[in-house]
Every structure is written in C-alpha cells, then in structure tokens.
Amino acid sequence: GSWPDVRESPGMRVDFVAREAVSLFNQSMELKLEVRNIFAQGYSEFQKREGNRIYYNKYDVGTSVALSLNLMF
C-alpha cells in the first residue's frame, strides 16, 4: 500500500515578553525580559502507518531567555 501523508507536529509554543520604562541617573531606559518557548516543545515531521511512526525531521527547539536594557537618548 501507499504511505500516508507526512504530518507536522510543531508543538505548542508559549512566549513571555515584559517591558518596563525606568529612569536611572536622570536617563530614560527600557528594561526588557523575554522567555521564548517556555515549555521547550520540540518539532517533528513524520509518517504513521499501522502503529509505526517514521520521523523525517525531529529536533528540540529549547527555551531561550534574554534580558536587555535600552538607553534612550
């Protein structure tokens, strides 16, 4: 028989971004916190037939965290 279509499973991606205006030494600044892919969901492409699953592309995306301080002139 023929193989079924390739399925894509990108996972659920949840991000958190917070920005706050602050003043330090009489300078306006913006403090920013970013947390990307909080639940560390991976990605996969596969075919499924008779209970078997064959992966064509599968990888972990991981979680990233960034903190920045922007000075406004």
Side-chain angles (χ1 to χ4, degrees), residues 17-23 27-33 67-72:
V17 177
R19 294 180 183 168
E20 182 67 31
V22 294
S23 180
Q27 292 290 325
S28 295
M29 302 180 190
E30 181 185 65
L31 184 63
K32 183 177 176 183
L33 172 66
L67 180 64
S68 64
L69 181 64
N70 297 318
L71 178 61
M72 297 170 206

Side-chain angles (χ1 to χ4, degrees), residues 4-33:
D5 292 336
V6 173
R7 294 181 182 226
E8 180 180 20
S9 178
M12 179 181 73
R13 185 173 173 132
V14 177
D15 298 334
F16 173 80
V17 177
R19 294 180 183 168
E20 182 67 31
V22 294
S23 180
L24 188 62
F25 306 115
N26 290 329
Q27 292 290 325
S28 295
M29 302 180 190
E30 181 185 65
L31 184 63
K32 183 177 176 183
L33 172 66

Side-chain angles (χ1 to χ4, degrees), residues 44-58:
S44 65
E45 294 173 4
F46 60 91
Q47 285 182 320
K48 190 173 181 182
R49 181 179 181 194
E50 298 173 8
N52 296 318
R53 193 179 273 204
I54 296 174
Y55 290 96
Y56 288 93
N57 196 4
K58 182 177 180 181

